[in-house]
Amino acid sequence: GVYQSSHINEEAKPFTSPYTSRVLKPFIFQSADFLPPKPKLLKELTEKVTHNNHFNSYTIQPVVFCYFGKHHLLSVNALISYFFWPVNLKEYLQYPDFTVVVQYGRLVIGCAFMTPDVKVSEAYIPFLLVHPDFQHCGIGKIMLYHLIQSCQGKDITLHVSVDNPAMLLYQQFGFKVDQFCVNFYEKYYPPSYHHSKHAFLMRLRR
């Protein structure tokens, strides 16, 4: 897998969204209580190796959820392009309220984006990604919850491959299948892509 590095500005201050004029806090959420599988395993291994010697064991870093900023752009573009298809997410700098980037130390390990005005009464989630090494510890749930809470009063839609287990996460939050889209991903993925190119359009009705 690929990891992308981005600095965390510990002195970051609240800023104003260009889209909603809301004042946004520099961090959405951060916690040192997360135990992602890879760091947890690394900590356990280093504790065994460093037992009874003078080396320090591995320290679990806090997982930080923040709004998408310019300093994330290259890292997030690379992460999404690696796991999905080539993108440039610069446009989302215009509405940071509807974004979230997750970092573990300096590593970007996840991100999610929502277009708030794809239709008059509908928002759309094009990307929600957690690096495989950091899945299954609740990061995706927090990102999805944040996006849902940031856009009240509108339906929220997204596409998901018919064989993507993330569908279960979306169903937990009330998304229901609205449409079956044949070969939806054919224009995005090469012929060698080994997952289904069919998609479900899922909708959270508000």
Side-chain angles (χ1 to χ4, degrees), residues 6 23 25 43 57-58 90 94 104 120 164 177 182 192:
S6 178
V23 177
K25 297 179 180 179
K43 180 177 174 61
S57 64
Y58 179 78
K90 184 178 180 179
Q94 298 303 310
Y104 178 75
V120 174
N164 188 338
V177 173
V182 177
S192 58

Side-chain angles (χ1 to χ4, degrees), residues 145-171:
Y145 176 81
H146 165 72
L147 293 185
I148 291 172
Q149 292 300 309
S150 70
C151 195
Q152 298 289 337
K154 289 186 176 184
D155 283 10
I156 300 176
T157 58
L158 57 86
H159 286 93
V160 59
S161 176
V162 297
D163 59 357
N164 188 338
M167 190 186 311
L168 298 175
L169 170 64
Y170 302 135
Q171 289 175 330

Side-chain angles (χ1 to χ4, degrees), residues 176-191:
K176 297 184 183 301
V177 173
D178 200 57
Q179 185 179 342
F180 178 73
C181 306
V182 177
N183 290 326
F184 176 80
Y185 292 110
E186 188 167 11
K187 61 184 177 182
Y188 299 106
Y189 289 120

Side-chain angles (χ1 to χ4, degrees), residues 83-101:
F83 286 104
F84 289 99
W85 50 81
V87 294
N88 186 345
L89 297 170
K90 184 178 180 179
E91 65 175 288
Y92 287 92
L93 295 172
Q94 298 303 310
Y95 24 87
D97 325 41
F98 309 100
T99 69
V100 55
V101 175

Side-chain angles (χ1 to χ4, degrees), residues 39-68:
K40 182 180 179 181
L41 177 60
L42 184 57
K43 180 177 174 61
E44 292 172 352
L45 290 174
T46 55
E47 284 178 346
K48 290 181 179 180
V49 171
T50 59
H51 186 62
N52 294 328
N53 62 36
H54 300 292
F55 294 101
N56 293 324
S57 64
Y58 179 78
T59 301
I60 296 290
Q61 301 292 316
V63 175
V64 179
F65 297 74
C66 55
Y67 296 101
F68 181 49

Side-chain angles (χ1 to χ4, degrees), residues 106-144:
R106 294 176 60 88
L107 301 177
V108 174
I109 61 170
C111 55
F113 297 87
M114 182 162 63
T115 304
D117 54 1
V118 67
K119 293 182 180 178
V120 174
S121 58
E122 184 178 313
Y124 180 75
I125 299 175
F127 297 109
L128 189 152
L129 168 68
V130 180
H131 190 287
D133 290 345
F134 290 83
Q135 292 176 0
H136 309 301
C137 63
I139 292 174
K141 286 184 178 180
I142 292 177
M143 292 197 299
L144 184 56

